[in-house]
């Protein structure tokens, strides 16, 4: 019977809640740190919630609190009786001998609150699971998002002293010096671009914009060849437009340097087969993971990205392309949808601590000229959220001439932490590959 009663009581530790409140009243300097970690609803006891609200109210007014000022504040708010009265507030300081262990008490309060959240979530999931009007996959995705949000929001705000920042920065610079590597991020394979960016950096959102048929996907695949096949760096690719077979075919064509048209019509000679066999050997064990779901929902994309980072340890993710990602509200205006997507992708890059490279179309006004930031399609939010914005530009007239080798430009239009400018490249239409352009001399 005792076990049944215990099981019906939500997880809570009233002693730890009392100790937390008592420690703050003993030493008001502990209040700012506790406030960054605990919200009012993290306390189980309503009585303790009211007292904590009073403490926060004093802190917001920059009043150095103690028992008397707290009693006075709660009286003004008309909540002294709800808090248990003067006698109960006075007793809180008796429950804790010192404020030095306040962080320990806070951790206990947070742990119990997290357990209560999990119990509440599991009850809701059970109800949704029995509701036959709800889609099972949607329930699963919503649950994953709620659990992630619960975990993400349980983190504490970080206050970094300048002494710590300088020390850590010097250690990072020293580590790079000892490694003697020019790149600090993921290489793109385009030497001039890598020289400008030092590679794609962790937590960054990189946007690649271009008009249709200029070669956004080809540029991404050219970079993935360097990253996953040549450098053996785990890489994820969300292809919302092309099937995984088409992606595989294009990769084989560019690695083997065999005309992609031959792969489509099957008109291959012995030399082509040998090249393809060698290319297949290089690609076979490459750590490249492809998702080819069309019109993928943003929530599902984020879920699979987290799985890739956790299970396949991917170090960079490509998304082809932003315009094909859908959200939960299909009737929302385009600018709101794109804004939600760009903010979510930036947050995801920070969460996973890897670069996320997203392809994007530019407005029709860019046709025939070099694109600019104002022509990113859908929302100014993309320009704001992106750390790096690259534009591809190729002359349509030269493209129509079917030249076997064509000039191309990668325009670094925005780089939050570096220079901007043009990167000259060459493009091979026959096997849809971008490569470094040889120096003039």
């Amino acid at each position: 019977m005792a076990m049944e009663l215990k099981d019906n009581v939500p997880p809570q530790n009233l002693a730890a809640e009392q100790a937390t409140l008592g420690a703050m009243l003993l030493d008001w300097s502990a209040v700012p740190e506790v406030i960054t970690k605990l919200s009012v609803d993290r306390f189980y006891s309503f009585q303790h919630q009211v007292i904590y609200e009073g403490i926060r109210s004093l802190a917001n007014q920059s009043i150095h609190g103690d028992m008397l000022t707290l009693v006075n504040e709660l009286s003004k708010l008309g909540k002294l009786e709800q808090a248990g009265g003067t006698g109960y507030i006075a007793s809180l300081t008796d429950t804790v001998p010192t404020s030095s262990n306040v962080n320990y008490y806070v951790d206990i309060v947070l742990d119990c609150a997290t357990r209560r959240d999990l119990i509440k979530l599991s009850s809701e999931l059970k109800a949704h699971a029995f509701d036959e009007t709800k889609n099972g996959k949607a329930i699963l995705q919503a649950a994953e998002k709620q659990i992630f949000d619960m975990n993400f929001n349980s983190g504490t705000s970080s206050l970094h002293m300048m002494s710590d920042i300088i020390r850590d920065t010097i250690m990072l610079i020293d580590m790079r010096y000892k490694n003697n590597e020019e790149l600090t991020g993921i290489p793109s394979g385009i030497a001039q671009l890598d020289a400008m960016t030092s590679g794609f950096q962790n937590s960054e959102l990189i946007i690649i914009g271009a008009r249709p048929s200029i070669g956004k996907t080809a540029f991404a695949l050219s970079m993935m060849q360097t990253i996953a096949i040549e450098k053996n760096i785990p890489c994820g690719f969300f292809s919302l437009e092309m099937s995984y077979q088409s992606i595989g075919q294009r990769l084989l064509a560019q690695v083997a340097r065999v005309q992609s048209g031959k792969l489509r019509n099957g008109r291959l000679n012995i030399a082509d087969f040998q090249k393809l066999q060698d290319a297949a050997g290089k690609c076979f064990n490459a750590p490249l993971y492809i998702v080819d779901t069309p019109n993928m929902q943003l929530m599902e994309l984020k879920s699979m990205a987290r799985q890739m980072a956790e299970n396949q340890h991917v170090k960079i993710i490509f998304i082809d392309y932003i315009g094909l990602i859908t959200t939960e509200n299909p009737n929302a205006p385009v600018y709101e949808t794109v804004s939600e997507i760009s903010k979510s992708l930036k947050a995801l890059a920070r969460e996973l601590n890897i670069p996320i490279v997203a392809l994007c179309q530019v407005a029709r006004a860019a046709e025939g000229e070099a694109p600019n930031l104002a022509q990113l399609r859908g929302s100014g939010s993309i320009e704001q959220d992106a750390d790096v914005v690259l534009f591809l530009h190729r002359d349509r007239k030269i493209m129509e001439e079917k030249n076997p080798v064509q000039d191309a430009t990668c325009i670094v239009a925005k780089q939050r932490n570096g220079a901007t400018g043009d990167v000259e490249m060459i493009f091979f239409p026959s096997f849809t590959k971008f490569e470094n352009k040889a120096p003039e001399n």
Side-chain angles (χ1 to χ4, degrees):
M1 178 68 70
M3 180 61 71
E4 290 180 4
L5 182 62
K6 180 180 178 181
D7 287 344
N8 289 329
V9 177
Q12 37 82 23
N13 191 318
L14 298 182
E17 293 183 7
Q18 291 173 331
T20 300
L21 297 171
M24 287 189 285
L25 291 175
L26 276 179
D27 182 4
W28 196 255
S29 65
V31 172
E33 185 176 1
V34 174
I35 286 177
T36 64
K37 296 181 176 181
L38 282 180
S39 57
V40 173
D41 64 352
R42 300 295 83 187
F43 288 88
Y44 175 73
S45 165
F46 176 72
Q47 193 174 356
H48 294 160
Q49 290 180 3
V50 173
I51 295 171
Y52 188 53
E53 277 185 312
I55 292 174
R56 285 167 59 99
S57 178
L58 289 172
N60 288 336
Q61 300 172 62
S62 300
I63 297 174
H64 190 284
D66 54 25
M67 189 196 75
L68 293 178
T69 54
L70 178 60
V71 168
N72 182 58
E73 182 68 16
L74 289 171
S75 296
K76 288 195 299 182
L77 295 172
K79 294 183 177 181
L80 181 59
E81 186 177 341
Q82 294 177 346
T86 304
Y88 183 74
I89 294 173
S91 71
L92 290 173
T93 55
D94 297 332
T95 64
V96 55
T98 174
S99 65
S100 60
N101 292 326
V102 65
N103 287 322
Y104 178 74
Y105 308 142
V106 168
D107 287 343
I108 295 174
V109 174
L110 280 173
D111 182 73
C112 291
T114 299
R115 292 173 185 272
R116 292 196 299 273
D117 289 342
L118 287 170
I119 290 171
K120 179 183 177 183
L121 176 59
S122 64
S123 299
E124 292 174 353
L125 285 176
K126 184 176 180 180
H128 291 322
F130 276 106
D131 186 349
E132 295 183 0
T133 65
K134 296 184 179 295
N135 179 271
K137 189 175 182 181
I139 296 172
L140 182 62
Q141 291 173 2
E144 184 179 59
K145 181 179 185 300
Q146 287 178 275
I147 291 174
F148 164 72
D149 290 342
M150 193 184 301
N151 182 57
F152 185 77
N153 294 329
S154 68
T156 60
S157 301
S158 298
L159 180 68
H160 301 285
M161 292 180 64
M162 197 62 197
S163 56
D164 296 331
I165 293 171
I166 294 298
R167 185 195 65 237
D168 293 345
T169 303
I170 292 296
M171 286 176 61
L172 179 61
I173 293 171
D174 183 60
M175 180 183 68
R176 291 172 178 172
Y177 171 76
K178 289 177 179 176
N179 287 342
N180 196 29
E181 293 180 357
E182 293 182 2
L183 300 185
T184 57
I186 304 293
S188 69
I190 304 299
Q192 192 181 348
L193 177 61
D194 289 337
M196 292 179 67
T197 62
S198 292
F200 296 142
Q201 307 296 316
N202 287 341
S203 300
E204 287 191 343
L205 173 61
I206 298 97
I207 297 295
I208 299 176
R211 290 291 297 151
S213 303
I214 294 297
K216 296 186 297 294
T217 304
F219 191 47
L221 291 177
S222 298
M223 291 190 286
M224 286 193 291
Q225 179 183 341
T226 297
I227 296 167
I229 298 173
E230 296 175 9
K231 300 292 185 181
N232 205 43
I233 298 171
C235 175
F237 184 57
F238 287 86
S239 176
L240 282 65
E241 191 172 34
M242 298 172 61
S243 68
Y244 73 90
Q245 295 101 328
S246 297
I247 296 297
Q249 181 175 296
R250 290 184 66 164
L251 272 173
L252 276 177
Q254 69 181 45
V255 174
R257 303 179 80 86
V258 170
Q259 292 182 19
S260 55
K262 289 186 175 182
L263 272 63
R264 287 194 298 270
N265 59 35
R267 295 175 182 175
L268 300 160
N269 56 39
I270 298 299
D272 293 332
F273 273 112
Q274 184 60 53
K275 290 179 182 179
L276 286 171
Q277 187 174 0
D278 293 342
K282 293 177 182 178
C283 297
F284 190 78
N285 291 316
L288 176 57
Y289 307 94
I290 298 173
V291 178
D292 65 346
T293 305
N295 299 317
M296 194 173 198
Q297 276 221 343
L298 177 61
M299 184 187 300
E300 186 179 0
L301 186 149
K302 290 162 64 177
S303 171
M304 295 204 69
R306 294 184 188 114
Q307 292 177 35
M308 281 185 179
E310 179 69 24
N311 301 328
Q312 281 74 41
H313 309 292
V314 298
K315 302 302 181 187
I316 184 170
I317 286 175
F318 288 80
I319 300 170
D320 184 14
Y321 60 95
I322 281 182
L324 294 178
I325 301 174
T326 60
T327 61
E328 292 182 334
N329 184 5
N331 298 319
V334 172
Y335 71 91
E336 286 185 9
T337 300
V338 176
S339 178
E340 179 187 352
I341 291 169
S342 67
K343 282 178 168 54
S344 295
L345 293 182
K346 173 56 184 173
L348 186 64
R350 292 196 62 182
E351 173 202 332
L352 301 181
N353 193 33
I354 62 174
I356 290 183
V357 183
L359 279 52
C360 177
Q361 287 196 12
V362 297
R364 189 181 298 274
E367 189 63 49
E369 62 181 39
N372 59 57
L373 291 170
Q375 294 165 336
L376 283 170
R377 174 167 287 181
S379 172
S381 176
I382 296 178
E383 176 188 350
Q384 177 182 323
D385 296 327
D387 297 282
V388 177
V389 178
L390 309 176
F391 289 116
L392 294 180
H393 179 57
R394 291 163 57 207
D395 191 320
R396 291 281 191 188
K397 292 181 180 178
I398 295 177
M399 291 169 58
E400 292 170 0
E401 292 173 1
K402 309 296 183 183
N403 295 326
V405 180
Q406 300 176 1
D407 287 333
T409 305
C410 174
I411 304 166
V412 183
K414 176 186 177 180
Q415 187 176 187
R416 205 182 295 277
N417 299 308
T420 59
D422 293 353
V423 173
E424 299 302 322
M425 306 180 295
I426 54 175
F427 179 68
F428 295 90
S430 59
F431 43 89
T432 58
K433 175 133 176 20
F434 287 88
E435 291 190 358
N436 291 292
K437 185 174 184 178
E440 292 292 333
N441 57 359

